[in-house]
Amino acid sequence: MWQNSPPGSIYDYIRVASFSIGPDGLIEQWSRRAAGLFGIAAHEAVGRDPVETFMPAELRTGGHRRVGEILDGKEWTGLVPFRMPGENAVHGLAEVYVMPSETESGEPAALCIVVDVRVLRRIETDLAASQAIFGQSPFGFVLFGTDFTVVRANQRFATVFGGQADDHRGRTVDDYLARPEAERLTTTLRRVLETGDSVTDLQLVGTAPGDSESRHWSMNLYRVHSGAGRPIGIAGLATDVTRRHIAAREAASARRNLALLNEAGARIGNSLDLETTARELLGVAVPGFCDLASVDLYQGLLTGDEAPPGSWGSLHHESVGGSAELRRVAFASAVSDALPATAPVSASTDGVINPPILGAVHRYPFNSPCSIALRTGRVEDVPGDDRGFVQSTLAVPMVAHDTVVGLVQFSRTKGSEPFGERDRALATELAARAAVCIDNARLYRREHERALILQRSLLPPGDPEAAGLDIACRYLPGNTATEVGGDWFDVIELPGHRTALVVGDVMGRGLRAAVAMGELRTAVRTLALLDLEPAEVLSALDEVARGLGTSGVSTPSEGLGGAQWPSRASHKARDADLSEVYLATCVYAVYDPVTRRCTFANAGHLPPVVVEPGEPALLLDVPPGMPLGVGGEPFEEVEVELKEGALLALYTDGLVESRDHPLDEGLQALRNALIEPELPLEDVCDHVLTTLDTRHGEDDIALLMARIQGLPIDAVGDWRLPREPRSVGRARELARRQLLAWELDDLVDTTELLVSELVTNALRYGEGEIRLRLLRDRTLVCEVWDAGLVQPRRRRARDTDEGGRGLQLVGLLSAAWGSRRTPRGKTVWFELPLPDGEPAAERTVEQLLSMF
C-alpha cells in the first residue's frame, strides 16, 4: 500500500475506511481499511446488503430508507450504530459520510467514508489533555524540533522570556542564553536526540529580558516520538530555581561560616605570642573566607607599653592627625604575593596609595575607612582600586574588652563573590576571637615578664664566690609557655668562711610557683644567717612552706629573725583548701673549707653527686626526708669529708627526669656525664647539659657545681688557751705573730684590740676552754670559741660605766661580727677586709663618740 503521508500520520490514529454501494444497494467495493475496521474480508462483504449485515434489526427500516435517499442523489452525514457479524458481535458507532456517485452506465451509486467514533473521542480527549498540560502548566514547557528550533512553547515560557507563545516558534537557544550556556544546552539537546537518554536537572544560568539579576533554571529534557516510533523532537520542562539556589547558597555559606568558626576556635589562640596569633587568624581566613588578608596591631601593644586607657586602642580615641602607630604583623594571600592596595598609608609621586610592607610601622589617615573603623569599633567597607585586582575589602577592628588592639583587613579579588551581611558578621566574629586571644597574650606576656624579672632577681647574680670552692651554676627555664617556674639555687656565705649551698624546687609552674620560690629563698637566707644547723634550717623552712598557701594571720616566731610562722587560723585555712598548699623539695649543705667537711640535709630532693679524683661519680646517701610543706617528720644530717679537687653537683629533677625514660636512667646518665671532672668547671657544666637528654622545655633546670679546694694549712691559725687572765695577752701575741707571718702588718693593731675584747668576754661570761682561730682568705676572720651558751648582746654603756663598750668597739672597727651556737658552746667572730694598699679611712668623731 502506497501512502502519501509517512507512517504515524493522523490517518493511522483515526482509522478511516471506505466502501461503495452499487445501484442495487449492495456493497460493490470493500477497502482494506474497511476490512480492518469491521473485521470482514472483501470477499465476504462484496455483494451483501450493508444494512442487513451491520445494523441492528430495530434500525434496519430506517437504514433502508436512508440508502434509498442516498441512491436518489442526497448526501448524508451521521452516526450509525453497527455490529460485527457473528454470534458474539461487537457493537460500535461509526461516523459515516456518504457521497452520491454514478457508475459508468450512469446509474446511481454511493461512496461511503467511515470513521470509528470511539477512536475520534479518544483522540479528542488526548488532545484536550495535552493542551491542558501544555498550556496550563506552571512550568516553562518548550518543544524543540530535530533542528533544535522551538516548535512550540507554552504561555509560562513566554511569560519569562516575553511576548506570546506563538512568537517563540523558530527561535534557538542562542536567543535566550549567553554563548557558553547556549552551547552547553545545544550539546545536551543533540545528545538527547541521538541517544534517547533523558536528562534531568540540567542547571542553566541566564537573565530574563529587562532583568539584570542572574536567574537559575533547572531543565528536564526527553526525546519525543511519533506513533511509529520516529523521533520528532525534544521536549523540555524548565523550572525557575533561583530562590532554591539562593537558599542553597545561603545554607552553604552558613555551613562554611560555622566550619570556619569551628576551625577558628581550634586554631586561633594556641600560642601566647601576638604575631603567631595574628598568623593563625589569617590561616583560617585565607582562602576559606577571603583571597587576601592582613593584620595590623598597635605598636604600643607590641612594645609592651603600659599606656593609660585612651593612649592607644580605646574606642572613640585616635590621634588628631590620624590613627596611632600600627605595625603590619601578618599578611596572607591566595592569589598573589603582592600586598593589597587597600591599605592607604602614604602616597607616591604619581598619587597611587602604597600599602605597608610586612613589619612596617605606619599610620592611617584620619578620614580613611581604616582609621574610622579603629575609632568607632565598627566594620568599614574599603573601596577597591579600579586599576588593581581587589574587588572589595572589609576593615574590621579587633576589639577585646572594649579595647581595640588592632585592625584586620579581609579582601576579595575581582571575580569572587562580594561580601554580604553574613560575611560582615563572620568577619567581626573572627576578628573578635583573635582580639581576645591577642589581648590574653598581651596580658600573659606582661605578667610573664614581671614573673621573669621576679625570678631572675631571686637567683644569685653573676658568678657566686665562696672560700675554698670553685663554683659554676646554670639555670635553664622551660619553654615560652613554662619559662617561669619554682626551681632555684643559692650560694650563701656563712661566718668562718663557710658556705651554704642550696638547691630547691617548688612543685608546679607559673607565677605562684615563682613567688613561693622567692619566699622560700628569702626564708633560707634568713635562717642561714642565724647559722643554724642544716636540719634545723629545713625544719624551720618546712613550717614556712606550710604557711605560704594559707590566708590566716601569721605571727612572728621568736628567735628566727622575723620569719613568719603560721597561726592556728592559718592552719585551719590550709586544711579547708588543700589546693593552696605549696610543696617543695630542697637540699641544704654547709661546707667548711678548713676541714673540707660538708654537712647535708635533704627535704625530698634528689641526692647530691660527688666525684672524687680518679673515682667514678657517686650518689651521696643522704636520707631524702619529706618535701617541705608536708610536716610531721624530722630531718636528718649527714656529714661527709670531701677530698681536695672533688666535684660536688646539686641539681633539680628537670636535669635527669623525663617522660621518655625512668629516673634511674637519668641519674645514671648524669653520673656518666661527670667522667672528666678535671676539666674547667664551666666546661663541665656545659658538657652535662649537652650530653644529657634533658628534653629542655618540659621543666626548669637548676645545676650548681662546686670543686673542693679547701683552705691551705698556712692560711689557718688555731690555738687553744687556758681559762686564765694571762690568756688575753697570749691571744694578742699569737694574733700579732700570725698576722706578721701573713704580711698583714696593717691589720695587727686592730686585730690585737678586737681579739683582746673577745677573749676577755669569753673569760668573763663564758665557760670552759677558750679557742682562738684566724682564717685568711678573701678576708681575715677571727673566731673565739668557748663552752658557754649565753650569746653576747651588744648594749649602750652609760656614762658612768667603766665597761660594756667592748662589742661596740668590735662593731665599729670590724666589717662584720656575730655569734653562733656550736655543739659544745658558742663562737663569737669578727671579719676584717684585707688591706688593698691604700691607707685605711679614719674614723669620724661621731663614730668614736658612739662608743661612749
Side-chain angles (χ1 to χ4, degrees):
M1 181 178 65
W2 179 85
Q3 291 183 333
N4 187 35
S5 61
S9 67
I10 189 63
Y11 299 105
D12 293 329
Y13 290 99
I14 64 176
R15 300 181 67 183
V16 177
S18 65
F19 62 92
S20 63
I21 301 175
D24 54 0
L26 302 177
I27 297 174
E28 189 175 58
Q29 291 181 340
W30 189 258
S31 68
R32 292 183 179 180
R33 285 187 177 269
L37 175 63
F38 295 102
I40 300 176
H43 68 276
E44 296 177 354
V46 174
R48 299 181 64 177
D49 186 345
V51 176
E52 296 293 333
T53 304
F54 299 105
M55 294 185 68
E58 65 271 13
L59 299 177
R60 290 173 184 172
T61 302
H64 285 298
R65 187 174 61 250
R66 291 293 183 188
V67 172
E69 293 175 354
I70 292 170
L71 293 177
D72 289 340
K74 292 182 179 181
E75 291 186 2
W76 181 80
T77 302
L79 297 177
V80 178
F82 69 91
R83 65 180 181 83
M84 299 296 183
E87 295 180 358
N88 298 322
V90 178
H91 292 269
L93 184 64
E95 184 176 291
V96 181
Y97 178 50
V98 182
M99 295 173 291
S101 62
E102 294 180 354
T103 63
E104 293 180 358
S105 61
E107 293 180 309
L111 176 64
C112 301
I113 305 298
V114 182
V115 179
D116 191 341
V117 174
R118 293 173 302 173
V119 175
L120 287 177
R121 296 294 181 266
R122 188 166 60 248
I123 291 175
E124 289 175 354
T125 302
D126 292 345
L127 288 175
S130 176
Q131 181 61 31
I133 293 174
F134 195 83
Q136 300 173 21
S137 172
F139 309 112
F141 217 123
V142 62
L143 179 62
F144 295 97
T146 55
D147 58 352
F148 308 135
T149 60
V150 176
V151 175
R152 189 177 179 185
N154 68 349
Q155 189 57 41
R156 177 60 182 169
F157 185 87
T159 301
V160 176
F161 291 100
Q164 298 298 318
D166 292 340
D167 297 338
H168 293 273
R169 295 179 185 273
R171 292 186 180 181
T172 65
V173 293
D174 295 297
D175 298 319
Y176 305 105
L177 300 173
R179 184 180 181 86
E181 292 289 271
E183 290 179 350
R184 192 161 65 90
L185 178 55
T186 301
T187 301
T188 306
L189 290 172
R190 182 176 292 106
R191 185 173 69 252
V192 172
L193 182 63
E194 292 175 352
T195 64
D197 297 333
S198 60
V199 173
T200 58
D201 197 23
L202 175 65
Q203 297 292 318
L204 299 173
V205 180
T207 55
D211 191 359
S212 59
E213 296 292 334
S214 296
R215 304 190 69 82
H216 297 260
W217 293 285
S218 173
M219 199 163 192
N220 298 326
L221 301 171
Y222 58 93
R223 191 169 68 182
V224 180
H225 307 86
S226 67
R230 179 175 58 87
I232 60 174
I234 305 101
L237 182 65
T239 306
D240 192 333
V241 294
T242 303
R243 292 185 179 179
R244 187 175 71 187
H245 181 79
I246 294 174
R249 184 176 59 188
E250 291 181 352
S253 177
R255 288 193 298 271
R256 181 201 64 185
N257 292 354
L258 289 175
L260 281 174
L261 289 177
N262 182 62
E263 184 181 5
R267 293 180 57 184
I268 299 176
N270 293 323
S271 169
L272 289 173
D273 179 74
L274 301 177
E275 291 84 353
T276 301
T277 302
R279 289 192 293 269
E280 289 170 348
L281 168 62
L282 300 193
V284 173
V286 179
F289 177 68
C290 61
D291 301 316
L292 301 165
S294 62
V295 176
D296 300 320
L297 297 181
Y298 279 108
Q299 179 69 357
L301 178 97
L302 295 168
T303 56
D305 294 345
E306 293 294 335
S311 297
W312 56 262
S314 294
L315 295 179
H316 312 294
H317 179 89
E318 283 291 327
S319 57
V320 177
S323 70
E325 286 188 342
L326 299 107
R327 186 194 303 171
R328 177 64 52 86
V329 297
F331 171 75
S333 170
V335 295
S336 172
D337 292 332
L339 290 173
T342 55
V345 177
S346 60
S348 60
T349 56
D350 58 358
V352 177
I353 299 298
N354 295 323
I357 62 174
L358 191 63
V361 178
H362 60 90
R363 295 177 183 267
Y364 287 110
F366 184 79
N367 292 323
S368 65
C370 295
S371 184
I372 295 173
L374 291 170
R375 287 198 304 273
T376 63
R378 296 192 300 266
V379 180
E380 292 291 328
D381 293 310
V382 181
D385 187 357
D386 294 337
R387 292 173 293 178
F389 57 90
V390 173
Q391 174 182 236
S392 61
T393 297
L394 296 178
V396 186
M398 306 176 72
V399 184
H401 312 298
D402 293 330
T403 299
V404 180
V405 299
L407 182 77
V408 56
Q409 297 183 65
F410 302 108
S411 302
R412 287 181 179 173
T413 58
K414 294 177 180 178
S416 298
E417 184 178 355
F419 289 112
E421 287 302 320
R422 194 187 300 271
D423 295 324
R424 294 170 67 93
L426 177 61
T428 302
E429 179 65 21
L430 289 175
R433 292 196 179 196
V436 171
C437 295
I438 286 175
D439 192 55
N440 290 340
R442 175 184 68 85
L443 296 175
Y444 167 78
R445 184 175 66 178
R446 184 184 67 185
E447 299 302 323
H448 185 66
E449 289 175 352
R450 292 176 178 177
L452 284 179
I453 293 174
L454 170 64
Q455 189 174 43
R456 296 298 188 271
S457 67
L458 297 176
L459 296 175
D463 296 326
E465 295 182 356
L469 292 175
D470 182 16
I471 296 177
C473 51
R474 294 289 187 275
Y475 177 80
L476 299 179
N479 56 27
T480 305
T482 62
E483 194 169 349
V484 179
D487 290 16
W488 92 92
F489 66 91
D490 209 347
V491 178
I492 307 171
E493 293 188 56
L494 300 177
H497 286 315
R498 294 170 304 132
T499 303
L501 303 176
V502 189
V503 168
D505 183 3
V506 177
M507 297 182 184
R509 298 190 179 98
L511 184 59
R512 291 180 58 193
V515 171
M517 176 270 286
E519 295 189 43
L520 291 178
R521 178 179 181 272
T522 302
V524 168
R525 280 191 161 265
T526 302
L527 296 169
L529 293 178
L530 296 176
D531 216 348
L532 302 176
E533 295 297 324
E536 293 179 314
V537 170
L538 292 185
S539 296
L541 197 62
D542 176 65
E543 291 292 337
V544 173
R546 284 192 286 165
L548 287 181
T550 61
S551 57
V553 179
S554 298
T555 58
S557 174
E558 297 181 2
L560 284 180
Q564 299 296 308
W565 294 83
S567 65
R568 183 185 302 271
S570 69
H571 281 295
K572 290 182 179 179
R574 185 190 69 236
D575 295 337
D577 187 3
L578 295 178
S579 64
E580 295 293 327
V581 176
Y582 289 88
L583 296 179
T585 63
C586 179
V587 60
Y588 185 88
V590 175
Y591 171 69
D592 188 344
V594 178
T595 61
R596 294 198 312 276
R597 302 187 71 83
C598 191
T599 305
F600 296 91
N602 193 353
H605 203 79
L606 295 174
V609 178
V610 172
V611 187
E612 294 186 344
E615 300 292 336
L618 297 176
L619 296 175
L620 288 181
D621 186 13
V622 179
M626 299 298 291
L628 301 176
V630 175
E633 293 292 334
F635 296 96
E636 300 182 39
E637 293 181 359
V638 172
E639 188 176 65
V640 178
E641 183 176 352
L642 302 174
K643 294 183 178 180
E644 185 77 16
L647 192 65
L648 174 64
L650 306 179
Y651 52 92
T652 57
D653 56 0
L655 183 67
V656 296
E657 194 171 20
S658 172
R659 292 191 299 263
D660 298 336
H661 54 72
L663 178 61
D664 291 343
E665 292 184 9
L667 292 174
Q668 184 60 45
L670 174 61
R671 295 171 59 189
N672 295 337
L674 295 173
I675 58 176
E676 298 180 3
E678 68 278 357
L679 294 175
L681 204 54
E682 295 290 338
D683 295 342
V684 175
C685 284
D686 294 337
H687 176 72
V688 169
L689 294 177
T690 56
T691 302
L692 266 64
D693 183 15
T694 60
R695 299 286 181 180
H696 180 49
E698 292 183 2
D699 198 0
D700 301 345
I701 296 175
L703 175 62
L704 177 61
M705 303 192 74
R707 177 171 284 127
I708 306 301
Q709 294 177 339
L711 286 181
I713 297 178
D714 58 1
V716 179
D718 194 352
W719 307 275
R720 299 182 182 274
L721 303 172
R723 190 171 186 80
E724 55 187 30
R726 65 177 183 177
S727 294
V728 177
R730 176 63 177 166
R732 287 199 301 268
E733 179 183 353
L734 293 173
R736 169 182 289 273
R737 185 184 306 166
Q738 186 65 67
L739 264 59
L740 292 176
W742 287 340
E743 299 181 354
L744 297 177
D745 302 17
D746 295 340
L747 300 181
V748 170
D749 294 339
T750 301
T751 302
E752 276 191 290
L753 177 59
L754 299 184
V755 165
S756 176
E757 291 293 337
L758 294 187
V759 173
T760 299
N761 284 344
L763 288 173
R764 183 176 299 177
Y765 305 108
E767 298 176 5
E769 187 182 40
I770 299 173
R771 180 181 177 186
L772 172 65
R773 189 168 73 170
L774 295 178
L775 306 176
R776 186 196 67 182
D777 192 67
R778 291 172 299 157
T779 61
L780 175 67
V781 174
C782 175
E783 298 175 330
V784 176
W785 305 32
D786 68 79
L789 299 177
V790 178
Q791 298 290 325
R793 183 172 61 88
R794 182 177 176 180
R795 64 183 180 86
R796 182 176 293 277
R798 292 174 296 182
D799 294 343
T800 57
D801 290 344
E802 295 182 358
R805 298 179 178 84
L807 293 182
Q808 287 184 333
L809 187 65
V810 174
L812 177 66
L813 298 180
S814 65
W817 78 279
S819 66
R820 67 178 184 273
R821 290 182 300 166
T822 64
R824 298 179 181 179
K826 67 175 180 298
T827 300
V828 183
W829 58 271
F830 68 84
E831 184 176 345
L832 295 175
L834 298 181
D836 54 6
E838 297 182 1
E842 296 183 0
R843 304 291 176 179
T844 64
V845 175
E846 289 76 7
Q847 290 175 329
L848 294 175
L849 290 178
S850 65
M851 294 184 295
F852 299 95

